[in-house]
Amino acid sequence: LPVGEPVDIYMDGNLIVSSLNYKDFSPYTYISTESHKVDVYKAGTKSNPLIRTSLFLPLEQIFTLGLTGNKGEETLLTIPDDIEQMPSSNSAVGRIINLAPNIPIADVFFNNKPEVNNIDYRDQTPYAYIPPGKYTLEVKATADGSPITKSVFDFKADRIYTTYIVGDQPNTQLLNSVDGNTYVCKAK
């Protein structure tokens, strides 16, 4: 969430993630394929949920759940980690997801080269192959090219990454994570 208060996440009334801080990730966990009630509260409380929703995840899939939205408009976004996407021994594999609700439509540059155009809030790119190496990723407003944020990441072969655009202006940031399909899909 753009405002950095820790949260507790309950599924069907059971605490599954405790005191999750802004920009942190919880470990992947197995969830059965039935319908589940999900409640997200400010950490240490169990009244006035920030998010209350139902969730049904298909069998044999991997998902990342993103908490996003402005205060009072928080939502849970289901992000599939494509189980058909295999890691590559010669390349990194990556995608970009915009979870920053208050930035303009943006372009993403890798080492000053435009790679993603017109990514809006909650948009995600398909996975793409990336030569291994260190990259400066910069997010710029599509309309006028004004800088929004930038970070340096090391992309390694045999890994599948998601780079998230998070936060509010002027504190927008990039987070890079290794997707669960990096490990699960290798056994295929």
Side-chain angles (χ1 to χ4, degrees):
L1 299 170
V3 177
E5 295 185 45
V7 296
D8 292 338
I9 302 171
Y10 287 81
M11 184 171 288
D12 301 323
N14 299 308
L15 181 65
I16 60 167
V17 178
S18 177
S19 296
L20 183 67
N21 287 305
Y22 173 63
K23 300 190 303 181
D24 282 352
F25 293 85
S26 68
Y28 283 94
T29 186
Y30 173 79
I31 299 173
S32 64
T33 58
E34 59 202 0
S35 184
H36 298 280
K37 184 179 117 184
V38 178
D39 295 312
V40 179
Y41 299 96
K42 289 182 183 178
T45 70
K46 206 170 174 191
S47 62
N48 301 317
L50 300 170
I51 298 169
R52 174 168 276 164
T53 191
S54 293
L55 180 67
F56 181 84
L57 301 175
L59 184 65
E60 297 181 8
Q61 300 290 316
I62 305 170
F63 293 92
T64 297
L65 301 177
L67 302 174
T68 186
N70 291 313
K71 189 169 185 158
E73 300 172 354
E74 298 89 349
T75 189
L76 187 66
L77 186 64
T78 304
I79 304 164
D81 293 354
D82 184 359
I83 61 170
E84 300 299 321
Q85 179 62 60
M86 301 290 289
S88 167
S89 60
N90 299 325
S91 298
V93 178
R95 65 179 173 174
I96 309 283
I97 298 178
N98 182 357
L99 297 182
N102 298 317
I103 68 168
I105 295 173
D107 300 329
V108 181
F109 294 75
F110 280 57
N111 291 344
N112 297 315
K113 181 181 172 199
E115 294 291 343
V116 175
N117 295 314
N118 300 312
I119 191 165
D120 201 357
Y121 175 53
R122 294 189 189 167
D123 282 352
Q124 61 182 298
T125 66
Y127 286 107
Y129 291 94
I130 304 165
K134 193 169 282 200
Y135 292 86
T136 299
L137 274 63
E138 185 169 16
V139 180
K140 297 180 182 182
T142 299
D144 62 9
S146 59
I148 296 172
T149 190
K150 71 177 174 179
S151 295
V152 176
F153 297 112
D154 189 12
F155 289 89
K156 297 178 181 179
D158 215 26
R159 301 278 190 285
I160 302 172
Y161 295 93
T162 297
T163 302
Y164 297 93
I165 306 169
V166 300
D168 286 326
Q169 283 188 305
N171 299 313
T172 308
Q173 298 175 322
L174 294 170
L175 301 177
N176 208 27
S177 73
V178 177
D179 288 358
N181 51 353
T182 293
Y183 307 104
V184 173
C185 296
K186 285 185 179 185
K188 286 187 170 186

